[in-house]
């Protein structure tokens, strides 16, 4: 509006601009309150919702509620889960916050009406409560703004509290052992085999290793897979008990779980030895090496090199006049091979120099039966508390080191039930492919050498340090890895049920008290600290009850 006033000395024009803010008028609080919806049962429903949420968040800390066992959530499954729970948590939070704002606003307006002091309030506190107040009002009415901030954390608390995490589920895992089958790696006949690993049986027949080179045989004989597993043996400081001895199907097996059943045909899913050494005599000819040690004489034809001047090895086995499962392995070496064998034996007098020994002979006595026992093992996700990286493996097999007694439907079973001719023969002959790797050529045994030395040539200083192997009584890497070969082969032999004859299946040993720890995904973390996620809900519940009481 513009006004003009006539003055003596002139004319002045004054402009009056209306205010954009309407001043608080009497009765405004009443009108505003009447425009709000009536609470009715809303606050009660909000209280029930909060109690249910608090109870559920507490429950999932102490109770494993699986989302997927075994296995992990796919990317789209995880995305759908997080999206759905976030929407649900937001709806709960919005409803509870709305009821709190409604009750609190009613209380503020009721106080204003009862004191006839609406102008002093100026709806500032109500604006702060609704989240539209200025920063000054937010700070001034800090109890209102702070309370709504805590209540607003309900969405975050619910989503964080029920976020899926990795968990393990323990369940019964009955398994069957098949220790009575001898095929296909062995066969019975009326004549002794001219090859290695042939034992005479009490009935006058002979149990002999099958040296067939047929593809069908090689695909089914578990002993033939030993070199493949040996080639992947990791070299880790085995003085630490948590370190692993070998990998089968990409799954590391700890030194306390050696021989755990493994079906080679299923790859990574294939998981659902007393030795001594002697020296001896060696005779070298233009095309052969004859070695005698511990009463065992081995003759090896050498065709690709001249063993009188070049490195060569003679490897063989004697099983005559001994029980099944016992044998003597003889390794005779000349020239550079002799130096490498001496190093593998941790002989402190041997070096890598050209003046190494002209010959070196070792005999190892094999006796399988005393080295077999039942132990508790666990197939699970890698232990995250170990001191070396296992990020590239999905599962591990670990043993407690404790001897156990398996249960069958007929009651407890003893170790003698699995120490059969099949078990003894397979365990004793486990090293055959490693010993025969370069037979009739230069006799060199690279897979066994690399596994024994971890790909690092030992030195004199290495030989002076006491050797700690996968077996507590191993004196050197050679006997340790020969024993490890037996454990690997037996782990596959006992699980060899795909081609097991019906007669052997009828004699299987069914163990019923095994336990499987399957890794999967559960609701929430299951940790005690997750109880902190109920704090916003408890505060909101207390605030709601207070406002309902004061309504």
């Amino acid at each position: 509006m513009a006004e003009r006033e006539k003055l003596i000395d002139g004319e002045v024009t004054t402009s009056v601009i209306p205010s954009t803010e309407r001043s608080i008028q009497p009765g405004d609080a009443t009108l505003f309150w009447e425009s709000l919806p009536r609470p009715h049962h809303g606050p009660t429903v909000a209280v029930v919702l909060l109690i249910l949420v608090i109870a559920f968040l507490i429950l999932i800390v102490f109770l494993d509620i699986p989302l997927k066992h075994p296995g992990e959530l796919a990317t789209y499954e995880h995305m759908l889960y997080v999206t759905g729970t976030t929407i649900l948590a937001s709806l709960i939070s919005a409803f509870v916050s709305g009821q709190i704002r409604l009750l609190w606003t009613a209380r503020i307006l009721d106080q204003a009406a009862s004191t006839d002091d609406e102008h002093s309030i100026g709806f500032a506190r109500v604006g702060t409560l609704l989240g539209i107040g200025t920063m000054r009002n937010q700070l001034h009415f800090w109890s209102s703004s702070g309370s709504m901030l805590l209540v607003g954390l309900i969405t975050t608390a619910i989503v964080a509290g029920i976020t899926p995490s990795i968990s393990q589920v323990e369940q019964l895992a009955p398994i069957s052992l098949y220790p009575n089958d001898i095929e296909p790696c062995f066969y019975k006949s009326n004549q002794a085999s001219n090859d290695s690993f042939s034992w005479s049986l009490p009935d006058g027949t002979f149990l002999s290793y099958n040296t067939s080179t047929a593809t069908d045989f090689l695909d089914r004989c578990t002993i033939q897979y030993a070199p493949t597993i040996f080639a992947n043996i990791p070299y880790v400081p085995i003085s630490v008990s948590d370190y692993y001895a070998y990998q089968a199907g990409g799954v590391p097996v700890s030194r306390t779980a050696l021989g755990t059943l493994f079906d080679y045909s299923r790859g990574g899913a294939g998981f659902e030895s007393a030795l001594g050494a002697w020296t001896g005599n060696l005779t070298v000819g233009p095309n052969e090496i004859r070695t005698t040690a511990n009463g065992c004489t081995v003759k090896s034809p050498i065709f690709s090199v001249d063993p009188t001047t070049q490195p060569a090895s003679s490897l063989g086995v004697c099983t005559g006049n001994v029980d099944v499962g016992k044998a003597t392995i003889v390794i005779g070496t000349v020239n550079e091979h002799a130096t490498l064998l001496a190093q593998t034996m941790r002989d402190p007098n041997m070096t890598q120099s050209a003046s190494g020994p002209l010959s070196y002979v070792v005999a190892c006595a094999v006796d399988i039966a005393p080295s077999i026992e039942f132990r508790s093992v666990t197939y699970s996700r890698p232990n995250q508390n170990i001191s070396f990286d296992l990020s590239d493996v999905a599962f591990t097999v670990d043993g407690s080191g404790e001897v156990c007694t398996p249960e069958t439907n007929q009651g407890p079973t003893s170790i003698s039930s699995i120490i059969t001719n099949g078990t003894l023969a397979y365990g004793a002959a486990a090293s055959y492919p490693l010993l025969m790797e370069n037979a009739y050529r230069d006799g060199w045994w690279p897979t066994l050498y690399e596994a024994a030395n971890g790909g690092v040539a030992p030195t004199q200083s290495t030989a002076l340090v006491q050797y700690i192997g996968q077996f507590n009584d191993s004196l050197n890497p050679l006997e340790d890895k020969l024993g490890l070969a037996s454990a690997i082969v037996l782990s596959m032999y006992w699980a060899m049920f795909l081609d097991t004859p019906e007669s052997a299946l009828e004699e299987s040993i069914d163990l019923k008290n095994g336990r499987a720890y399957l890794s999967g995904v559960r609701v929430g973390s299951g940790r005690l600290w997750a109880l902190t996620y109920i704090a916003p809900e408890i505060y909101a519940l207390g605030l709601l009850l207070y406002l309902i009481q004061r309504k």
Side-chain angles (χ1 to χ4, degrees):
M1 177 179 65
E3 295 182 352
R4 292 188 177 181
E5 296 182 3
K6 187 80 180 277
L7 300 179
I8 296 177
D9 57 347
E11 191 174 80
V12 177
T13 301
T14 305
S15 297
V16 179
I17 302 175
S19 172
T20 58
E21 295 186 2
R22 178 178 175 273
S23 61
I24 304 299
Q25 301 296 323
D28 279 354
T30 303
L31 291 174
F32 182 65
W33 165 242
E34 290 177 350
S35 68
L36 296 176
R38 301 280 77 84
H40 297 300
H41 302 296
T44 303
V45 174
V47 169
V48 174
L49 276 177
L50 287 173
I51 292 175
L52 291 176
V53 170
I54 293 171
F56 183 73
L57 291 178
I58 294 175
L59 178 67
I60 60 177
V61 171
F62 300 100
L63 179 64
D64 191 337
I65 300 179
L67 289 175
K68 190 173 185 180
H69 281 127
E72 298 180 355
L73 294 179
T75 302
Y76 77 93
E77 292 175 328
H78 185 84
M79 180 182 66
L80 290 176
Y81 177 86
V82 172
T83 301
T85 54
T86 302
I87 292 174
L88 178 62
S90 299
L91 291 175
I92 295 174
S93 178
F95 180 76
V96 171
S97 299
Q99 296 304 311
I100 291 176
R101 287 191 173 99
L102 182 60
L103 292 175
W104 206 338
T105 297
R107 176 172 172 74
I108 293 173
L109 296 178
D110 183 61
Q111 289 177 337
S114 63
T115 59
D116 294 326
D117 194 19
E118 297 174 290
H119 292 78
S120 64
I121 295 176
F123 290 102
R125 190 168 188 179
V126 173
T128 300
L129 191 64
L130 297 177
I132 57 176
T134 63
M135 181 60 69
R136 179 180 178 181
N137 287 338
Q138 296 280 350
L139 296 175
H140 180 71
F141 302 108
W142 59 269
S143 60
S144 300
S145 57
S147 295
M148 296 315 300
L149 177 62
L150 286 175
V151 172
L153 291 176
I154 290 178
T155 300
T156 302
I158 294 176
V159 172
I162 62 177
T163 296
S165 62
I166 300 296
S167 68
Q168 287 188 343
V169 174
E170 178 183 353
Q171 67 181 45
L172 286 174
I175 61 172
S176 296
L177 301 177
Y178 306 96
N180 297 293
D181 194 12
I182 62 170
E183 297 179 354
C185 297
F186 286 86
Y187 65 93
K188 282 186 178 181
S189 65
N190 294 322
Q191 294 181 338
S193 170
N194 292 325
D195 295 301
S196 303
F197 296 110
S198 179
W199 292 274
S200 59
L201 301 178
D203 60 2
T205 60
F206 292 87
L207 181 63
S208 303
Y209 184 78
N210 190 346
T211 57
S212 171
T213 57
T215 302
D216 179 61
F217 163 75
L218 295 177
D219 289 341
R220 294 185 299 118
C221 178
T222 57
I223 294 178
Q224 297 295 324
Y225 297 130
T228 303
I229 296 179
F230 251 68
N232 296 316
I233 291 178
Y235 187 73
V236 294
I238 53 180
S239 57
V240 180
S241 61
D242 281 337
Y243 284 139
Y244 296 87
Y246 62 91
Q247 293 191 51
V251 178
V253 180
S254 74
R255 58 182 302 192
T256 54
L258 302 179
T260 301
L261 272 67
F262 173 69
D263 181 4
Y264 191 91
S265 64
R266 299 182 62 196
F271 281 100
E272 299 202 347
S273 19
L275 301 168
W278 293 267
T279 58
N281 299 317
L282 181 145
T283 303
V284 181
N287 295 112
E288 73 171 20
I289 299 177
R290 181 187 295 270
T291 307
T292 300
N294 194 34
C296 175
T297 299
V298 173
K299 183 176 69 173
S300 300
I302 303 294
F303 296 127
S304 64
V305 298
D306 181 359
T308 60
T309 59
Q310 294 176 290
S313 296
S314 170
L315 300 92
V317 179
C318 293
T319 55
N321 301 319
V322 295
D323 296 333
V324 178
K326 294 182 179 181
T328 300
I329 299 175
V330 174
I331 303 177
T333 54
V334 295
N335 301 315
E336 284 86 350
H337 284 193
T339 300
L340 297 177
L341 177 58
Q343 293 170 350
T344 304
M345 292 296 293
R346 295 297 193 265
D347 191 329
N349 298 319
M350 304 304 161
T351 67
Q352 299 184 67
S353 65
S355 60
L358 294 178
S359 65
Y360 200 90
V361 179
V362 171
C364 297
V366 180
D367 189 1
I368 295 299
S371 61
I372 299 176
E373 61 187 12
F374 289 119
R375 286 189 178 185
S376 299
V377 298
T378 303
Y379 174 63
S380 64
R381 292 288 184 183
N383 181 0
Q384 301 300 320
N385 297 321
I386 57 179
S387 58
F388 63 99
D389 184 22
L390 280 178
S391 59
D392 58 339
V393 300
F395 294 93
T396 61
V397 177
D398 298 274
S400 64
E402 299 177 358
V403 178
C404 63
T405 302
E407 295 283 342
T408 66
N409 292 329
Q410 291 74 39
T413 185
S414 64
I415 196 66
S416 61
S417 62
I418 66 167
I419 301 181
T420 61
N421 283 340
T423 293
L424 297 174
Y426 272 77
S431 59
Y432 182 80
L434 301 171
L435 302 177
M436 299 293 109
E437 192 166 1
N438 282 299
Y440 306 110
R441 293 188 287 272
D442 64 351
W444 177 234
W445 28 284
T447 303
L448 183 57
Y449 175 81
E450 291 294 327
N453 295 290
V456 179
T459 63
Q460 275 188 307
S461 59
T462 304
L464 296 175
V465 179
Q466 182 180 4
Y467 177 72
I468 303 176
Q470 308 300 343
F471 299 92
N472 294 330
D473 55 353
S474 294
L475 299 179
N476 57 74
L478 182 62
E479 66 170 348
D480 191 66
K481 294 305 178 285
L482 289 174
L484 189 58
S486 297
I488 292 172
V489 167
L490 286 176
S491 74
M492 296 184 287
Y493 167 70
W494 286 319
M496 188 178 63
F497 57 89
L498 298 179
D499 298 313
T500 301
E502 185 176 349
S503 60
L505 286 176
E506 293 175 354
E507 300 177 7
S508 65
I509 300 175
D510 301 318
L511 310 180
K512 66 178 184 179
N513 62 330
R515 296 277 176 176
Y517 297 86
L518 303 178
S519 180
V521 180
R522 58 161 289 165
V523 177
S525 65
R527 305 295 180 86
L528 287 177
W529 54 259
L531 292 175
T532 58
Y533 292 133
I534 66 175
E537 290 84 354
I538 290 179
Y539 182 82
L541 178 62
L543 183 58
L544 258 177
L545 294 175
Y546 172 79
L547 293 174
I548 290 174
Q549 182 185 10
R550 296 285 182 174
K551 182 173 64 173

